């Protein structure tokens, strides 16, 4: 929640007006008024049984266009973050591994971030539902005080604990668990993670391959041919397990398993050992496969 203006000095009356018009809080109790460098921090307390304390800040900063610059100021509050922090302590059914509170230069809470670790699709969807239930709890509890407040900017960070890095942030109040699962599927396909792919139906996998527009395409004569190997959309590389299956698809003999292998490319050169999460660029694939290589998004544009 921001209110901006250039070269304006805000007063206590402005802070009270902000509290009333932006936060919906009438007649809060002033706890303190502090000067922090050029900024002013007002600490207020609600006059209700909850008695939540929050801050409104007059923030001075420098802005400008091209080579010109000037002093400006804004007001902001950590009220939403303080509400969330209050109910995190109050709520007994939250299964997040951690709740992280960032702070700005004035020591003011930013909106908290819920951190979850997951190992498969089921755990990812369960984590997002858990975060969503917490937001509903906050809405219900806070509605007893200020019924106009229905939206909370609470981030839910989902981190995959597995053989490759995957981390994504979602809005806990609006994220769709099934959509998040399909986003994770695009990574599982790119890494050809058969364990994770087992959590998805053949129909879901095919839908993801088509919708992501991220299959690797090979130029055969004058035609671009789509393979069944997927990369991350926009990348010009392939991961080892995916390359293993692409080589098989192209009839190239591979010595080893998808986890560790070598092969002789169509240029007669022996490649490998490929293992882990190393990656191979399309420019290297061209020599290995004896044809040009592109991502589907480039071929279709």
């Amino acid at each position: 929640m921001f209110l901006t203006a250039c070269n304006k000095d805000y007063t206590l009356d402005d802070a009270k007006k902000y509290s009333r018009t932006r936060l919906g809080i009438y007649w809060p109790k002033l706890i303190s008024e502090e000067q922090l460098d050029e900024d002013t921090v007002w600490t207020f307390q609600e006059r209700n049984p909850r008695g939540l304390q929050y801050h409104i800040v007059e923030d001075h900063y420098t802005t400008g266009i091209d080579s010109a610059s000037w002093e400006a100021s804004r007001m902001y509050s950590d009220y939403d973050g303080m509400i969330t922090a209050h109910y995190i302590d109050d709520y007994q059914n939250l299964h997040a591994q951690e709740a992280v509170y960032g702070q700005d230069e004035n020591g003011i809470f930013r909106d908290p971030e819920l951190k979850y670790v997951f190992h498969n699709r089921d755990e990812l969807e369960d984590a997002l539902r858990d975060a969503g239930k917490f937001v509903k709890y906050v809405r219900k509890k806070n509605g007893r005080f200020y019924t106009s407040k229905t939206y909370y900017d609470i981030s839910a960070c989902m981190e995959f604990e597995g053989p490759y890095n995957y981390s994504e942030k979602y809005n806990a109040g609006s994220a769709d668990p099934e959509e998040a699962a399909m986003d994770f599927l695009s990574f599982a396909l790119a890494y050809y993670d058969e364990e994770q792919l087992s959590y998805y139906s053949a129909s879901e996998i095919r839908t993801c391959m088509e919708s992501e527009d991220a299959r690797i395409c090979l130029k055969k004569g004058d035609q671009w041919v789509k393979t069944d190997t997927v990369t991350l959309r926009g990348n010009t590389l392939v991961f080892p397990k995916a390359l293993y299956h692409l080589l098989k698809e192209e009839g190239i003999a591979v010595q080893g398993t998808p986890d560790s292998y070598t092969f002789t490319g169509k240029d007669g050169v022996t490649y490998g050992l490929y293992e882990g999460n190393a990656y191979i660029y399309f420019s290297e694939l061209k020599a290995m496969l004896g044809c040009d290589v592109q991502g589907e998004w480039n071929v279709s544009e």
Side-chain angles (χ1 to χ4, degrees), residues 159-204:
E159 296 183 357
F160 175 57
E161 192 169 274
Y164 47 89
N165 294 326
Y166 174 87
S167 179
E168 193 66 40
K169 291 183 181 180
Y170 297 91
N171 187 295
S174 60
D176 183 332
E178 291 188 5
E179 288 184 7
M182 293 303 287
D183 178 71
F184 179 59
L185 173 56
S186 66
F187 277 75
L189 279 169
Y191 284 93
Y192 214 102
D193 187 338
E194 293 181 289
E195 178 182 354
Q196 298 305 321
L197 293 177
S198 69
Y199 286 87
Y200 296 86
S201 68
S203 174
E204 288 175 320

Side-chain angles (χ1 to χ4, degrees), residues 120-301:
N120 53 55
R121 173 191 185 166
D122 291 346
E123 291 184 5
L124 170 60
E125 293 188 4
D126 286 346
L128 277 172
R129 292 190 185 99
D130 182 70
K133 288 178 182 178
F134 172 67
V135 173
K136 289 179 181 178
Y137 175 83
V138 174
R139 287 174 178 161
K140 180 179 178 180
K141 296 287 283 189
N142 195 52
R144 297 177 183 175
F145 299 98
Y146 301 105
T147 57
S148 61
K149 185 64 180 173
T150 59
Y151 178 84
Y152 298 90
D153 189 19
I154 304 172
S155 292
C157 181
M158 304 294 158
E159 296 183 357
F160 175 57
E161 192 169 274
Y164 47 89
N165 294 326
Y166 174 87
S167 179
E168 193 66 40
K169 291 183 181 180
Y170 297 91
N171 187 295
S174 60
D176 183 332
E178 291 188 5
E179 288 184 7
M182 293 303 287
D183 178 71
F184 179 59
L185 173 56
S186 66
F187 277 75
L189 279 169
Y191 284 93
Y192 214 102
D193 187 338
E194 293 181 289
E195 178 182 354
Q196 298 305 321
L197 293 177
S198 69
Y199 286 87
Y200 296 86
S201 68
S203 174
E204 288 175 320
I205 291 173
R206 178 57 56 182
T207 297
C208 184
M209 290 178 68
E210 297 295 340
S211 62
E212 286 294 307
D213 199 28
R215 287 192 287 183
I216 293 174
C217 297
L218 307 180
K219 195 166 189 180
K220 304 292 184 72
D222 295 330
Q223 301 292 320
W224 284 101
V225 178
K226 297 179 184 179
T227 70
D228 282 330
T229 304
V230 173
T231 187
L232 293 174
R233 195 181 194 284
N235 285 356
T236 57
L237 53 83
V238 61
F239 295 100
K241 284 187 178 181
L243 175 58
Y244 179 92
H245 292 278
L246 177 60
L247 294 169
K248 290 282 192 179
E249 189 177 334
E250 289 300 297
I252 296 176
V254 185
Q255 290 74 50
T257 68
D259 294 307
S260 180
Y261 62 90
T262 62
F263 68 94
T264 301
K266 291 190 175 180
D267 57 357
V269 176
T270 299
Y271 294 93
L273 191 72
Y274 288 115
E275 55 188 359
N277 289 328
Y279 44 81
I280 304 93
Y281 286 105
F282 286 179
S283 56
E284 300 173 80
L285 286 182
K286 184 175 182 179
M288 297 173 181
L289 302 177
C291 62
D292 199 6
V293 182
Q294 289 285 357
E296 185 180 357
W297 63 91
N298 279 331
V299 173
S300 60
E301 290 177 353

Side-chain angles (χ1 to χ4, degrees), residues 20-21 68 92 141 248:
R20 182 173 62 255
T21 60
Q92 300 299 313
K141 296 287 283 189
K248 290 282 192 179

Side-chain angles (χ1 to χ4, degrees), residues 46-60:
E46 299 171 329
R47 293 183 186 272
N48 59 38
R50 181 172 63 184
L52 184 72
Q53 288 192 10
Y54 61 96
H55 308 89
I56 294 177
V57 179
E58 175 195 25
D59 178 39
H60 289 273

